[in-house]
Every structure is written in structure tokens, then in C-alpha cells.
């Protein structure tokens, strides 16, 4: 079993925390040609075949296995969640105090979920700098497969935790919004390569609301 860090933006962290996201897709690096090549995982090896020909090893390792633990990196700061003194309960407000003297890890999505205000004034640290001990969400891998990004189904797109959208990848406007259209918008906004139909790792998982070291013990 490996423990692996993975970065998620605030929107996706919220979906993880709420249990709406149970799968993620990540590019298969250095391998985009889906028009002529096919990929398949065979006993944790990534195999390739050209136009349906003989399969050969790609030389690329499968980065995740069933049972591996992914610890979520997210935007955070060092401080604590505090409350403004108020005479009336209706005037109660929460804020992130970064001058408290004690070191606590405050995750931006967590602070927002608690109703903290003025979060734009906080000096947040990028998720890539989050230390392992500050992570609060752990993902236990339950399945790994390889497919092209455009193979995503409506059901799997919903499990990605995205909001449904009207506009699809062809610029059409269906009568009802679809999760696949929402996923297309999110993917192309990050990678700008939906039309290339790249190969991706599809990682399914269960979300555990604990630090990875608590889960791994």
C-alpha cells in the first residue's frame, strides 16, 4: 500500500467533503494518441497496441493500485477559526485569525463551510505546499482503469462532483443540463485538450474524513 498526495481545487474539495465526488481523472502523461493506440491495464502494467495489433508494454507504471491511500492537498493557512465578540447572537461572525500564537492548520474550504467571513483577506498557502499532517481527507482507492476522457458516462460524470451544464463540447444546448457537459467544461478549463481525447487514469475511491496517518495505522 502506498500513500500518495493529490491536489484538488476548492470546488472539488467541497465535493469530496460532501460525498459527491468519488472518482477523479488524471492524464496519462506522455501518451495522448487515442486515434491509433489503445491502452489497457494488465496486472498493474500499462499495455499498448497500435491499430488493434500485438500488445506490448508501454514502460509506464500504473501510479495507483486498489488499496492505496491518497491524501488530499488543498488551499490552507496557519491560524485558527475565531469568533467576533458580539452582544447579540445575530451579530456573531467567524473569521480566520492568523495572529493567534498557536499553529493550527485551517483549510479554506473547511473555513468556508463553517461560515467564516472575509476569507479573501487571509494569506492562504497554495495546496501544493500543504504538509501531510495538515490533510484532513483521505481517499482509499477502490478501482483503477485507463480510458479516453471522452469515454466518460453521465453516471461517472456525476460521480466527478461537477455541476451539470447546458453547453456541451460541440456548443450545443440540450433541453436539460447534463453532468457530462459540466465535466467537459471543468476538464477543458484545466487541460484545454478535450478535442484531443487524451488517455486518462480513472481512479475510484471512498472518502475518509481522517488524516492519512490515522487511516494507515
Amino acid at each position: 500500500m502506498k500513500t500518495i498526495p493529490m491536489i484538488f481545487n476548492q470546488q472539488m474539495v467541497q465535493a469530496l467533503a460532501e460525498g459527491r465526488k468519488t472518482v477523479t481523472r488524471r492524464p496519462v502523461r506522455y501518451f495522448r494518441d487515442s486515434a491509433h493506440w489503445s491502452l489497457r491495464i494488465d496486472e498493474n502494467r500499462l499495455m499498448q497496441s497500435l491499430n488493434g495489433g500485438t500488445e506490448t508494454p508501454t514502460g509506464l507504471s500504473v501510479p495507483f493500485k486498489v488499496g492505496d491511500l491518497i491524501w488530499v492537498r488543498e488551499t490552507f493557512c496557519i491560524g485558527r477559526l475565531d469568533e467576533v465578540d458580539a452582544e447579540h447572537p445575530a451579530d456573531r461572525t467567524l473569521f480566520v485569525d492568523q495572529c493567534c500564537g498557536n499553529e493550527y492548520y485551517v483549510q479554506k474550504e473547511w473555513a468556508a463551510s463553517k461560515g467564516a467571513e472575509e476569507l479573501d483577506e487571509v494569506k492562504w498557502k497554495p495546496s501544493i505546499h500543504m504538509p501531510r499532517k495538515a490533510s484532513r481527507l483521505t481517499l482509499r482507492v477502490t478501482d483503477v482503469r485507463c480510458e479516453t476522457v471522452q469515454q466518460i458516462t453521465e453516471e461517472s460524470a456525476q460521480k466527478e462532483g461537477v455541476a451539470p451544464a447546458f453547453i456541451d463540447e460541440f456548443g450545443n444546448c440540450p433541453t436539460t443540463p447534463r453532468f457530462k457537459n459540466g465535466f467537459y467544461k471543468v476538464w477543458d478549463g484545466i487541460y484545454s485538450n478535450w478535442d484531443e481525447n487524451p488517455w486518462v487514469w480513472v481512479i475510484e475511491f471512498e472518502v475518509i474524513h481522517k488524516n492519512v496517518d490515522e487511516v494507515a495505522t
Side-chain angles (χ1 to χ4, degrees):
M1 179 188 69
K2 295 187 297 185
T3 57
I4 308 156
M6 185 177 286
I7 293 173
F8 291 86
N9 63 27
Q10 188 176 351
Q11 178 188 5
M12 291 298 100
V13 171
Q14 181 181 9
L16 288 170
E18 294 175 356
R20 295 184 289 107
K21 184 174 179 65
T22 57
V23 63
T24 190
R25 284 163 170 77
R26 301 293 163 124
V28 177
R29 299 296 182 187
Y30 317 115
F31 210 110
R32 291 190 175 186
D33 186 359
S34 59
H36 303 94
W37 289 89
S38 296
L39 298 182
R40 185 177 69 89
I41 297 176
D42 179 34
E43 296 183 352
N44 296 316
R45 297 186 305 165
L46 187 62
M47 307 296 291
Q48 63 185 353
S49 61
L50 177 62
N51 295 326
T54 304
E55 277 192 335
T56 58
T58 63
L60 297 177
S61 60
V62 179
F64 308 95
K65 297 179 182 179
V66 173
D68 285 347
L69 300 176
I70 298 171
W71 55 277
V72 175
R73 276 181 158 163
E74 55 182 299
T75 303
F76 75 106
C77 73
I78 297 176
R80 70 183 179 193
L81 203 61
D82 214 336
E83 185 176 352
V84 174
D85 292 333
E87 295 181 4
H88 302 287
D91 297 329
R92 172 181 175 271
T93 58
L94 294 174
F95 68 100
V96 176
D97 181 6
Q98 293 188 275
C99 303
C100 56
N102 296 319
E103 288 193 357
Y104 298 94
Y105 294 106
V106 178
Q107 300 87 5
K108 187 174 183 180
E109 191 282 328
W110 177 79
S113 71
K114 295 297 182 182
E117 299 180 356
E118 300 181 355
L119 296 183
D120 291 340
E121 299 180 8
V122 177
K123 294 181 180 179
W124 298 104
K125 295 180 180 292
S127 52
I128 194 170
H129 297 308
M130 170 177 271
R132 177 174 172 141
K133 61 183 177 181
S135 179
R136 65 193 173 108
L137 296 172
T138 301
L139 317 178
R140 192 193 305 275
V141 177
T142 58
D143 186 59
V144 181
R145 60 185 183 274
C146 188
E147 63 184 38
T148 63
V149 70
Q150 293 181 17
Q151 284 181 278
I152 188 171
T153 63
E154 181 72 6
E155 179 183 6
S156 189
Q158 184 173 1
K159 293 179 180 179
E160 282 276 359
V162 300
F166 279 97
I167 302 296
D168 64 16
E169 65 269 30
F170 306 108
N172 299 322
C173 299
T175 55
T176 57
R178 300 179 62 205
F179 287 99
K180 185 173 180 178
N181 298 341
F183 175 78
Y184 150 72
K185 291 180 64 177
V186 171
W187 180 271
D188 223 35
I190 298 172
Y191 299 106
S192 302
N193 64 359
W194 176 271
D195 291 340
E196 297 175 30
N197 196 22
W199 289 97
V200 296
W201 303 111
V202 183
I203 306 111
E204 297 190 5
F205 49 78
E206 62 171 315
V207 182
I208 305 171
H209 291 251
K210 292 182 180 180
N211 180 271
V212 64
D213 290 324
E214 296 181 60
V215 180
T217 54

Short mmCIF file of all heavy atoms in Angstrom, two decimals, residues 150-186 194:
data_model
loop_
_atom_site.label_atom_id
_atom_site.label_comp_id
_atom_site.label_asym_id
_atom_site.label_seq_id
_atom_site.Cartn_x
_atom_site.Cartn_y
_atom_site.Cartn_z
N GLN A 150 -13.11 11.19 -23.31
CA GLN A 150 -14.44 11.31 -23.88
C GLN A 150 -15.30 10.06 -23.67
O GLN A 150 -16.50 10.07 -23.97
CB GLN A 150 -14.36 11.62 -25.38
CG GLN A 150 -13.78 13.00 -25.69
CD GLN A 150 -13.74 13.30 -27.17
OE1 GLN A 150 -14.40 12.63 -27.97
NE2 GLN A 150 -12.94 14.28 -27.57
N GLN A 151 -14.72 9.01 -23.10
CA GLN A 151 -15.49 7.80 -22.79
C GLN A 151 -16.32 7.96 -21.52
O GLN A 151 -17.09 7.06 -21.17
CB GLN A 151 -14.56 6.60 -22.63
CG GLN A 151 -14.04 6.03 -23.94
CD GLN A 151 -13.15 4.82 -23.71
OE1 GLN A 151 -11.98 4.94 -23.41
NE2 GLN A 151 -13.73 3.63 -23.84
N ILE A 152 -16.19 9.06 -20.83
CA ILE A 152 -16.90 9.25 -19.57
C ILE A 152 -18.41 9.16 -19.79
O ILE A 152 -18.94 9.66 -20.78
CB ILE A 152 -16.52 10.60 -18.92
CG1 ILE A 152 -17.10 10.71 -17.51
CG2 ILE A 152 -16.95 11.78 -19.79
CD1 ILE A 152 -16.58 11.90 -16.74
N THR A 153 -19.09 8.49 -18.90
CA THR A 153 -20.54 8.34 -18.97
C THR A 153 -21.21 9.42 -18.12
O THR A 153 -20.56 10.08 -17.29
CB THR A 153 -20.98 6.97 -18.47
OG1 THR A 153 -20.64 6.85 -17.08
CG2 THR A 153 -20.32 5.85 -19.28
N GLU A 154 -22.50 9.59 -18.29
CA GLU A 154 -23.24 10.55 -17.48
C GLU A 154 -23.17 10.17 -15.99
O GLU A 154 -22.98 11.04 -15.13
CB GLU A 154 -24.70 10.59 -17.94
CG GLU A 154 -25.58 11.58 -17.19
CD GLU A 154 -25.29 13.03 -17.52
OE1 GLU A 154 -24.46 13.29 -18.42
OE2 GLU A 154 -25.87 13.90 -16.86
N GLU A 155 -23.26 8.88 -15.71
CA GLU A 155 -23.19 8.43 -14.31
C GLU A 155 -21.83 8.73 -13.70
O GLU A 155 -21.73 9.23 -12.57
CB GLU A 155 -23.48 6.93 -14.23
CG GLU A 155 -23.41 6.37 -12.82
CD GLU A 155 -23.61 4.86 -12.78
OE1 GLU A 155 -23.69 4.24 -13.85
OE2 GLU A 155 -23.68 4.31 -11.66
N SER A 156 -20.76 8.44 -14.44
CA SER A 156 -19.43 8.68 -13.93
C SER A 156 -19.14 10.18 -13.81
O SER A 156 -18.45 10.62 -12.89
CB SER A 156 -18.38 8.01 -14.82
OG SER A 156 -17.10 8.07 -14.23
N ALA A 157 -19.68 10.97 -14.73
CA ALA A 157 -19.50 12.42 -14.66
C ALA A 157 -20.15 12.97 -13.39
O ALA A 157 -19.61 13.89 -12.75
CB ALA A 157 -20.10 13.09 -15.89
N GLN A 158 -21.29 12.43 -13.01
CA GLN A 158 -21.94 12.87 -11.77
C GLN A 158 -21.07 12.52 -10.57
O GLN A 158 -20.96 13.31 -9.62
CB GLN A 158 -23.32 12.22 -11.63
CG GLN A 158 -24.09 12.70 -10.41
CD GLN A 158 -25.52 12.18 -10.38
OE1 GLN A 158 -25.94 11.43 -11.27
NE2 GLN A 158 -26.28 12.58 -9.38
N LYS A 159 -20.41 11.36 -10.62
CA LYS A 159 -19.53 10.97 -9.52
C LYS A 159 -18.26 11.82 -9.46
O LYS A 159 -17.53 11.76 -8.47
CB LYS A 159 -19.16 9.49 -9.65
CG LYS A 159 -20.33 8.54 -9.44
CD LYS A 159 -19.90 7.09 -9.61
CE LYS A 159 -21.06 6.13 -9.40
NZ LYS A 159 -20.64 4.71 -9.58
N GLU A 160 -17.98 12.59 -10.52
CA GLU A 160 -16.85 13.51 -10.51
C GLU A 160 -17.11 14.73 -9.63
O GLU A 160 -16.21 15.52 -9.36
CB GLU A 160 -16.52 13.96 -11.93
CG GLU A 160 -15.75 12.94 -12.76
CD GLU A 160 -14.26 13.01 -12.51
OE1 GLU A 160 -13.82 13.86 -11.72
OE2 GLU A 160 -13.52 12.22 -13.13
N GLY A 161 -18.37 14.92 -9.23
CA GLY A 161 -18.69 16.02 -8.33
C GLY A 161 -18.90 17.36 -9.00
O GLY A 161 -18.94 18.39 -8.34
N VAL A 162 -19.05 17.36 -10.34
CA VAL A 162 -19.23 18.61 -11.07
C VAL A 162 -20.71 18.98 -11.12
O VAL A 162 -21.59 18.15 -10.93
CB VAL A 162 -18.68 18.50 -12.51
CG1 VAL A 162 -17.20 18.19 -12.48
CG2 VAL A 162 -19.44 17.44 -13.30
N ALA A 163 -20.96 20.26 -11.40
CA ALA A 163 -22.34 20.72 -11.59
C ALA A 163 -22.76 20.46 -13.03
O ALA A 163 -21.95 20.59 -13.95
CB ALA A 163 -22.44 22.21 -11.26
N PRO A 164 -24.01 20.09 -13.26
CA PRO A 164 -24.46 19.88 -14.64
C PRO A 164 -24.47 21.20 -15.41
O PRO A 164 -24.59 22.28 -14.83
CB PRO A 164 -25.87 19.32 -14.47
CG PRO A 164 -26.31 19.78 -13.12
CD PRO A 164 -25.07 19.84 -12.27
N ALA A 165 -24.31 21.11 -16.73
CA ALA A 165 -24.26 22.32 -17.56
C ALA A 165 -25.08 22.10 -18.82
O ALA A 165 -25.31 20.96 -19.25
CB ALA A 165 -22.82 22.65 -17.92
N PHE A 166 -25.51 23.20 -19.45
CA PHE A 166 -26.29 23.13 -20.68
C PHE A 166 -25.39 23.01 -21.91
O PHE A 166 -25.69 22.27 -22.83
CB PHE A 166 -27.17 24.37 -20.82
CG PHE A 166 -28.44 24.30 -20.02
CD1 PHE A 166 -28.52 24.90 -18.77
CD2 PHE A 166 -29.54 23.62 -20.51
CE1 PHE A 166 -29.69 24.84 -18.03
CE2 PHE A 166 -30.72 23.55 -19.77
CZ PHE A 166 -30.80 24.16 -18.53
N ILE A 167 -24.28 23.74 -21.93
CA ILE A 167 -23.43 23.76 -23.12
C ILE A 167 -22.56 22.50 -23.16
O ILE A 167 -21.88 22.18 -22.18
CB ILE A 167 -22.54 25.01 -23.14
CG1 ILE A 167 -23.41 26.27 -23.09
CG2 ILE A 167 -21.66 25.02 -24.37
CD1 ILE A 167 -24.31 26.45 -24.28
N ASP A 168 -22.56 21.79 -24.31
CA ASP A 168 -21.72 20.61 -24.43
C ASP A 168 -20.46 20.94 -25.23
O ASP A 168 -20.23 22.09 -25.61
CB ASP A 168 -22.48 19.44 -25.06
CG ASP A 168 -22.93 19.72 -26.49
OD1 ASP A 168 -22.41 20.66 -27.12
OD2 ASP A 168 -23.81 18.98 -26.98
N GLU A 169 -19.64 19.90 -25.49
CA GLU A 169 -18.35 20.12 -26.16
C GLU A 169 -18.49 20.57 -27.60
O GLU A 169 -17.53 21.03 -28.22
CB GLU A 169 -17.51 18.84 -26.10
CG GLU A 169 -18.06 17.66 -26.87
CD GLU A 169 -18.95 16.78 -26.02
OE1 GLU A 169 -19.60 17.30 -25.06
OE2 GLU A 169 -19.02 15.56 -26.29
N PHE A 170 -19.71 20.47 -28.15
CA PHE A 170 -19.94 20.89 -29.54
C PHE A 170 -20.62 22.26 -29.61
O PHE A 170 -20.95 22.73 -30.69
CB PHE A 170 -20.80 19.85 -30.27
CG PHE A 170 -20.25 18.46 -30.21
CD1 PHE A 170 -20.85 17.49 -29.44
CD2 PHE A 170 -19.10 18.13 -30.92
CE1 PHE A 170 -20.33 16.21 -29.37
CE2 PHE A 170 -18.57 16.85 -30.85
CZ PHE A 170 -19.19 15.89 -30.08
N GLY A 171 -20.84 22.87 -28.45
CA GLY A 171 -21.51 24.15 -28.42
C GLY A 171 -23.02 24.05 -28.49
O GLY A 171 -23.72 25.06 -28.61
N ASN A 172 -23.55 22.81 -28.41
CA ASN A 172 -25.00 22.62 -28.44
C ASN A 172 -25.61 22.89 -27.08
O ASN A 172 -24.94 22.79 -26.04
CB ASN A 172 -25.34 21.19 -28.89
CG ASN A 172 -24.82 20.90 -30.28
OD1 ASN A 172 -24.85 21.76 -31.16
ND2 ASN A 172 -24.34 19.67 -30.49
N CYS A 173 -26.90 23.18 -27.07
CA CYS A 173 -27.61 23.46 -25.82
C CYS A 173 -28.76 22.46 -25.66
O CYS A 173 -29.85 22.69 -26.19
CB CYS A 173 -28.15 24.89 -25.81
SG CYS A 173 -26.89 26.16 -25.93
N PRO A 174 -28.53 21.33 -24.99
CA PRO A 174 -29.61 20.36 -24.80
C PRO A 174 -30.72 20.94 -23.93
O PRO A 174 -30.53 21.93 -23.22
CB PRO A 174 -28.90 19.19 -24.11
CG PRO A 174 -27.70 19.80 -23.46
CD PRO A 174 -27.28 20.93 -24.35
N THR A 175 -31.88 20.32 -23.99
CA THR A 175 -33.03 20.84 -23.23
C THR A 175 -32.84 20.70 -21.73
O THR A 175 -33.41 21.47 -20.96
CB THR A 175 -34.31 20.11 -23.66
OG1 THR A 175 -34.11 18.69 -23.49
CG2 THR A 175 -34.64 20.40 -25.11
N THR A 176 -32.05 19.73 -21.30
CA THR A 176 -31.77 19.56 -19.88
C THR A 176 -30.25 19.53 -19.66
O THR A 176 -29.51 18.98 -20.49
CB THR A 176 -32.38 18.25 -19.33
OG1 THR A 176 -31.88 17.15 -20.09
CG2 THR A 176 -33.90 18.29 -19.44
N PRO A 177 -29.78 20.11 -18.58
CA PRO A 177 -28.33 20.10 -18.32
C PRO A 177 -27.84 18.70 -18.02
O PRO A 177 -28.58 17.86 -17.48
CB PRO A 177 -28.19 21.01 -17.11
CG PRO A 177 -29.51 20.96 -16.43
CD PRO A 177 -30.52 20.80 -17.52
N ARG A 178 -26.60 18.42 -18.37
CA ARG A 178 -26.02 17.09 -18.16
C ARG A 178 -24.71 17.21 -17.40
O ARG A 178 -23.96 18.17 -17.58
CB ARG A 178 -25.79 16.39 -19.50
CG ARG A 178 -27.05 16.19 -20.33
CD ARG A 178 -26.72 15.51 -21.64
NE ARG A 178 -26.15 14.18 -21.43
CZ ARG A 178 -25.36 13.57 -22.29
NH1 ARG A 178 -25.00 14.18 -23.40
NH2 ARG A 178 -24.89 12.36 -22.04
N PHE A 179 -24.44 16.21 -16.54
CA PHE A 179 -23.21 16.21 -15.77
C PHE A 179 -22.00 16.06 -16.69
O PHE A 179 -20.94 16.62 -16.43
CB PHE A 179 -23.23 15.09 -14.73
CG PHE A 179 -24.15 15.36 -13.58
CD1 PHE A 179 -25.42 14.81 -13.55
CD2 PHE A 179 -23.74 16.18 -12.53
CE1 PHE A 179 -26.27 15.06 -12.48
CE2 PHE A 179 -24.59 16.43 -11.46
CZ PHE A 179 -25.86 15.88 -11.44
N LYS A 180 -22.15 15.29 -17.79
CA LYS A 180 -21.04 15.13 -18.72
C LYS A 180 -20.63 16.46 -19.32
O LYS A 180 -19.44 16.74 -19.52
CB LYS A 180 -21.41 14.13 -19.82
CG LYS A 180 -20.26 13.81 -20.76
CD LYS A 180 -20.61 12.70 -21.73
CE LYS A 180 -19.45 12.39 -22.67
NZ LYS A 180 -19.75 11.28 -23.59
N ASN A 181 -21.61 17.33 -19.61
CA ASN A 181 -21.29 18.66 -20.12
C ASN A 181 -20.56 19.49 -19.07
O ASN A 181 -19.64 20.25 -19.38
CB ASN A 181 -22.57 19.38 -20.56
CG ASN A 181 -23.29 18.66 -21.68
OD1 ASN A 181 -22.71 17.85 -22.38
ND2 ASN A 181 -24.57 18.96 -21.85
N GLY A 182 -20.97 19.34 -17.81
CA GLY A 182 -20.28 20.04 -16.73
C GLY A 182 -18.85 19.57 -16.57
O GLY A 182 -17.93 20.37 -16.36
N PHE A 183 -18.64 18.25 -16.72
CA PHE A 183 -17.29 17.72 -16.62
C PHE A 183 -16.43 18.22 -17.78
O PHE A 183 -15.25 18.55 -17.59
CB PHE A 183 -17.30 16.19 -16.60
CG PHE A 183 -15.93 15.59 -16.62
CD1 PHE A 183 -15.16 15.55 -15.47
CD2 PHE A 183 -15.39 15.09 -17.80
CE1 PHE A 183 -13.88 15.03 -15.49
CE2 PHE A 183 -14.11 14.56 -17.83
CZ PHE A 183 -13.35 14.53 -16.67
N TYR A 184 -17.01 18.25 -18.98
CA TYR A 184 -16.27 18.76 -20.14
C TYR A 184 -15.76 20.18 -19.88
O TYR A 184 -14.60 20.50 -20.17
CB TYR A 184 -17.16 18.73 -21.39
CG TYR A 184 -16.83 19.81 -22.38
CD1 TYR A 184 -15.66 19.77 -23.14
CD2 TYR A 184 -17.68 20.91 -22.55
CE1 TYR A 184 -15.35 20.78 -24.03
CE2 TYR A 184 -17.38 21.92 -23.44
CZ TYR A 184 -16.21 21.85 -24.18
OH TYR A 184 -15.90 22.85 -25.06
N LYS A 185 -16.61 21.04 -19.31
CA LYS A 185 -16.21 22.42 -19.05
C LYS A 185 -15.08 22.48 -18.04
O LYS A 185 -14.13 23.25 -18.19
CB LYS A 185 -17.42 23.22 -18.55
CG LYS A 185 -18.50 23.45 -19.60
CD LYS A 185 -19.66 24.25 -19.04
CE LYS A 185 -19.21 25.66 -18.63
NZ LYS A 185 -20.36 26.46 -18.14
N VAL A 186 -15.17 21.66 -17.00
CA VAL A 186 -14.12 21.65 -15.98
C VAL A 186 -12.81 21.12 -16.57
O VAL A 186 -11.74 21.71 -16.37
CB VAL A 186 -14.55 20.79 -14.77
CG1 VAL A 186 -13.38 20.59 -13.81
CG2 VAL A 186 -15.71 21.45 -14.04
N TRP A 194 -9.66 18.59 -24.53
CA TRP A 194 -10.79 17.67 -24.69
C TRP A 194 -10.86 17.13 -26.11
O TRP A 194 -11.11 15.94 -26.33
CB TRP A 194 -12.09 18.36 -24.31
CG TRP A 194 -13.32 17.53 -24.52
CD1 TRP A 194 -14.07 17.44 -25.66
CD2 TRP A 194 -13.93 16.64 -23.57
NE1 TRP A 194 -15.12 16.58 -25.49
CE2 TRP A 194 -15.06 16.07 -24.22
CE3 TRP A 194 -13.65 16.29 -22.26
CZ2 TRP A 194 -15.90 15.16 -23.57
CZ3 TRP A 194 -14.48 15.38 -21.62
CH2 TRP A 194 -15.59 14.82 -22.27
#
